[in-house]
Each structure stands twice: as C-alpha cells, then as structure tokens.
Amino acid sequence: MLTAPVGLLRDLDPKRVMRAQVGGQDLVIWRASNGDISAWDNRCPHRGMALSHGFVRGNELACLYHGWHYGSSGVCRYIPAHPELEPPATITTTVFSVLIADGVIWVNTEGAATPAPVPIASQPLRSFHVEIQSEGLARACLTVAFEGVAPEQIAPGLYQLGARQVLLLENPLDGGRIQITALTDADAKPVDCAALSRWCDAVRRAAQTKRVAA
Amino acid sequence: MSRAYAMNDWYAVADAQTLARGARRTMLLDQDVTVSGTPDAPKVIDDAGRTYPAQFKYGHVWTCLGDAPRSLFDIPEAAEQGRRLVPCGVVRVKCSPLRAVENFLDIAHFPFVHTGILGSEPHTEVAPYKAEIRDEVDEVWATKISFYQPQAAKSAQAGGDTDYQYRVAAPTSAVLYKTCPPKPEAMDVIAIFVQPRSETECDVWPWMALYDDTSDFAGLVQFQQEIFLQDRSILENQRPVKLPLDPKMEIPTRADLTSIAYRRWLKSKGAFYGALTEDA
C-alpha cells in the first residue's frame, strides 16, 4: 500500500478530529493541543466505538462512549469509570504512520509513511470528494475550461490551467469515490486560489454528471 | 448466521398504538411477518399465511417463530397497584440486537452520552457492584449499583445518587430497576424489548412501569426517547456491528462486569444471533 494523501493539515486544527480512509482501512486522524498529529484505526479497543466521534482533551483523544483517553502513542491513559486505576499498557489503539509534507497529511497503514514527491513549489488549495473512478476524473479535468482556456495535462494529476498549475492527489475510497487533495503554485494569490477552487468544484460536478448520464 | 437458539424466544413486534393504526408489516429474525388484530386477539402471520403464536403482554404483542417456544419471562412489577405502564414507542437502530441490550446494561457511558441527564463529569466513577449469571432462573443480574445522576427521571427535581439493578430476562430483553425519585422506598422499572429484524438491525421498544403521577404521558415518552436517540448515535458507530463474544476482541474493565456476564451467558447458551463468535 502506497502512502496516501488524506487531506490538508490546515483543515485540521489542533484539538480537532476527523475521519479518513486508506486502502479500505477506516481511520481517525486527530491533533493534540500541542499540534501533534496521529492516525489510528477508527476503533476504541474497549467497545468498538468509532474514535472519530471522540473529543480531544489536552494531548489525548477521548472516546465518546465511555471517555477512555488515549495518548499520541495510542496507549490508554485514563478510564473515567475508574479514575484511580492506572490503565494496563496492553490497552492500545492500532497506530499508523502519519507525516505532513507540502501541507498534506500522508498516511501509510502498512509501513512508514513516505509522501509522494510533489513536482511543483506548492501551497495547499483544497480537499474534496468525487464519486467517480480515476480515469473519469482525468477526462473531466480536461473538459472544464479555466477562465476560457482548455486545461492541459502535464503529468499524472498535474494540470496547466492558464498561467497556473494544479496538482490533484488521489486517494481511492470505498463505493467508487475518490478523495482529492489539491495543491497549486506557491505564488498563487488568494484570488487565484479562489478561482482554482471553483474550477475544482466544476470538475467535481462535471465528473458526477457524466457518471449519472453514463 | 445462527438462528437456532433465537427462534424459540418471544419478541415484541408491536404495541397497542401500532395495532390501532392497522396491520404492521415488519421483520423478525430475517423473516417478513405481519402483525394485526387487537390486544385481546393479536395475530402474527408470514407471507405464506402461516400463523405464529401471539400474546399481548407488557403493552406489546409478542410472538415466537420457533416450534418449541420457551415461556415468556415474567415481570411481576407490571401487576403492581399504582404503577403507570408506559410503552415508549419504537426506535429503529442499525446495530446488532445484542449490542443494543449490552448498551442498556451499561452505566459508565452515562456522563458522556447522556450528559447532564443520566450522568455528568466529574461523576464518572463506577463503584464496585455485583454481576452474576443466575443458573436457577437462567438470567443475568447486576445488583448493588449506585451512580450519581443529574436528572435520573422525568420526575427528578435534583441530582443525586441513583441505585440500579439490571435483569437480563432473555438475550434481547432486559429490565432495569432504579431509584424512584417521588417514592424512595420503591423502584421504577424500565425495560427494553428488542425486536431483532436481522443480526445487524433492530427495533427497540422501551417500556416503563413507574410511580409517577404528575408527569404527562407525552413528557415521559419524550424523556425516554431522547435517551434512546442518544444511545443510537453510539450503537450505529460500533465495529464490528455484531457483538463479539471472544473476550480478546474487546477489552473490558471492572465497570463492564455486567457486559462480561452477558456475553458469557450468551456464549454458554449458544445464543449467537447478532453475535460474532470465535469461529465466525
């Protein structure tokens, strides 16, 4: 399994929790108050509750069901039903390798995360989901003009849009959906980014409309 | 899928209010059935026209699909003078019927799931209590439970320690006894009758027998429905969906004695419908 992009760091503030999926593995991704990021199996080892419904207290993630706390290492630190108890070290979540590069959160569920090289000097653009297969997405990208100009594909996932470039990083999900994490040139201004973000929306709509028509 | 044990148990499949609206087409143990008639003469049939035994008890129509029905458990409090019998409607939950019962037996989640009602931080500690399988009646019982609750019941005026007892009368039916705020010498009775539609989906019929002469009926039902909707947000997000009976799959703590006894009891009986067994 390759290291997969699961979203932008800037969309996950400290103390926030989100759900993701890599290669069919359901994940909880969360940031401690100190900014540290973790990616785990989305399951509390106590009673199987999805930890993505949980909440961050300090530098620990608490399960919504019984409030069990887990530290960044995945080890259970606190069981509210027994405040005096030192939880056994055997109670631990399944921890995966996670890394931040180019403002993107990268996860590998089978080994050490090694982010794919990003071929442009980039800044984060946005993250979105499309209900389509990878080939369909590439076709849709070429059909949606950007400011009157037809896009051109330079490399897999990399599109020339007028003077700008957009890189679409794909993460295939269940049910024929793809999660896209989009980057653009480092020197793109906010107004450019807003326009490029609208192009992403148009691509998503075009891709899904075609799918329905087909 | 093992329906063998489950087939000979009784299940609530409608309440009087449902019957009054007409026939209820529903599912029980993966089988389509239709419930009709009146509380005095309830009727349950399948699509082939086969009739199943039906009886009206504890505010609900009960039926059994198997050829050798066990007897329906008794709730003696239902006959006690002065209690208000309150059927609370039905809540559809996409979870194993056994997970729904196990959640009903759990107190440690109150401060987090029923925040400000049945529990609140920092009152999270679960004091030692007793849980046991009572072989002579073939039931699971948990006793000597006490827990701080901000609003234990609709009738509660203030927070306080509430005493609890749990009784699992059948794999998908459980009764709890808890301190009755307006009548401290008695205990309120709250039950859940879980109708297993399939191994991963159920209709939950809460039912109460209370000493509460002041709350209006709608208020009582609404209070209980709110609690169950909060539980649903948990129950539909547990994985695996079926209840694991292998103790290695989910790590319990002391507060889970009732759950441990319940899982062990299910396993010893071979009550595997809605369960994940080791060889599954």
Side-chain angles (χ1 to χ4, degrees):
Chain A
M1 171 58 56
L2 289 172
T3 299
V6 297
L8 294 170
L9 183 67
R10 68 157 192 221
D11 293 338
L12 186 67
D13 287 335
K15 299 181 75 171
R16 299 302 289 260
V17 185
M18 70 176 208
R19 187 178 182 183
Q21 194 192 86
V22 170
Q25 168 70 54
D26 191 17
L27 300 170
V28 56
I29 301 189
W30 66 280
R31 289 184 71 193
S33 298
N34 65 14
D36 284 356
I37 190 162
S38 302
W40 300 343
D41 179 16
N42 188 19
R43 181 173 185 276
C44 178
H46 174 221
R47 286 294 177 254
M49 176 65 189
L51 286 170
S52 55
H53 290 260
F55 52 95
V56 177
R57 289 265 172 94
N59 294 319
E60 295 172 348
L61 177 64
C63 177
L64 178 63
Y65 198 178
H66 300 95
W68 289 26
H69 287 213
Y70 299 89
S72 295
S73 62
V75 175
C76 182
R77 298 285 183 214
Y78 178 62
I79 297 176
H82 306 298
E84 308 300 325
L85 177 80
E86 174 87 19
T90 48
I91 306 179
T92 173
T93 61
T94 304
V95 177
F96 299 116
S97 176
V98 58
L99 252 173
I100 309 301
D102 304 289
V104 176
I105 305 168
W106 299 87
V107 175
N108 189 327
T109 55
E110 291 175 359
T114 47
V118 167
I120 56 174
S122 69
Q123 64 172 309
L125 182 60
R126 62 174 294 177
S127 171
F128 61 103
H129 290 74
V130 192
E131 286 178 36
I132 197 171
Q133 302 299 323
S134 189
E135 317 79 64
L137 174 70
R139 275 198 303 276
C141 285
L142 297 176
T143 59
V144 177
F146 178 71
E147 295 177 344
V149 181
E152 192 185 329
Q153 187 170 4
I154 300 167
L158 183 61
Y159 297 89
Q160 188 74 43
L161 303 175
R164 293 285 159 210
Q165 292 188 330
V166 166
L167 179 67
L168 303 182
L169 301 167
E170 295 183 20
N171 177 34
L173 306 175
D174 284 349
R177 293 176 309 139
I178 315 174
Q179 178 189 18
I180 313 283
T181 305
L183 307 178
T184 188
D185 307 301
D187 62 354
K189 307 244 170 347
V191 60
D192 302 323
C193 289
L196 293 166
S197 181
R198 285 194 297 276
W199 177 78
C200 291
D201 267 335
V203 166
R204 184 171 54 80
R205 281 196 302 274
Q208 295 184 168
T209 309
K210 285 218 182 65
R211 202 182 71 115
V212 171
Chain B
M1 178 179 80
S2 174
R3 292 199 305 177
Y5 185 93
M7 288 294 279
N8 290 318
D9 271 338
W10 291 85
Y11 301 96
V13 288
D15 60 8
Q17 211 179 350
T18 311
L19 279 187
R21 283 197 299 266
R24 176 181 196 239
R25 195 173 154 74
T26 183
M27 210 202 306
L28 178 62
L29 302 173
D30 288 279
Q31 184 178 325
D32 291 319
V33 291
T34 300
V35 189
S36 61
T38 61
D40 291 333
K43 195 176 172 195
V44 177
I45 57 167
D46 65 18
D47 289 354
R50 181 177 163 185
T51 301
Y52 296 94
Q55 56 179 310
F56 192 85
K57 230 174 164 183
Y58 319 129
H60 293 80
V61 177
W62 295 78
T63 193
C64 175
L65 301 184
D67 295 325
R70 298 177 190 92
S71 55
L72 176 58
F73 54 87
D74 188 30
I75 304 179
E77 294 80 10
E80 284 176 4
Q81 288 292 314
R83 283 188 188 269
R84 280 177 78 184
L85 306 181
V86 186
C88 299
V90 63
V91 181
R92 170 78 47 89
V93 190
K94 286 192 175 61
C95 75
S96 155
L98 305 180
R99 287 231 191 244
V101 170
E102 184 177 87
N103 173 73
F104 183 74
L105 305 175
D106 180 78
I107 47 175
H109 74 284
F110 290 167
F112 303 98
V113 181
H114 309 299
T115 313
I117 308 170
L118 302 185
S120 67
E121 292 184 279
H123 310 283
T124 57
E125 183 161 12
V126 175
Y129 64 91
K130 190 175 178 195
E132 60 188 330
I133 298 170
R134 294 188 181 170
D135 289 327
E136 66 281 12
V137 285
D138 192 21
E139 295 183 350
V140 176
W141 279 78
T143 54
K144 302 190 167 86
I145 300 171
S146 182
F147 201 72
Y148 177 85
Q149 300 200 311
Q151 194 194 354
K154 182 78 183 160
S155 58
Q157 302 297 317
D161 283 335
T162 306
D163 293 333
Y164 270 77
Q165 284 188 43
Y166 287 101
R167 170 191 176 204
V168 186
T172 64
S173 293
V175 183
L176 82 79
Y177 303 87
K178 66 186 287 189
T179 308
C180 169
K183 196 172 168 161
E185 72 282 8
M187 303 215 56
D188 277 340
V189 173
I190 301 175
I192 54 165
F193 309 138
V194 180
Q195 173 192 343
R197 295 173 54 83
S198 70
E199 289 194 278
T200 56
E201 186 176 74
C202 51
D203 281 347
V204 179
W205 305 88
W207 174 87
M208 307 190 287
L210 311 177
Y211 289 109
D212 178 342
D213 300 325
T214 48
S215 302
D216 64 82
F217 185 84
L220 289 171
V221 172
Q222 195 190 5
F223 183 84
Q224 211 51 41
Q225 288 256 349
E226 185 183 339
I227 300 291
F228 275 88
L229 291 175
Q230 290 171 336
D231 284 320
R232 184 165 72 177
S233 68
I234 297 293
L235 289 167
E236 296 192 339
N237 286 291
Q238 282 175 281
R239 195 157 50 80
V241 175
K242 291 193 214 172
L243 184 76
L245 299 187
D246 176 355
K248 289 190 293 292
M249 280 195 68
E250 294 186 342
I251 307 169
T253 185
R254 280 206 312 273
D256 299 312
L257 286 181
T258 318
S259 142
I260 294 165
Y262 176 59
R263 292 185 186 198
R264 196 177 292 153
W265 179 69
L266 294 173
K267 199 170 169 181
S268 71
K269 298 157 80 68
F272 294 151
Y273 191 80
L276 197 61
T277 51
E278 274 141 301
D279 38 64

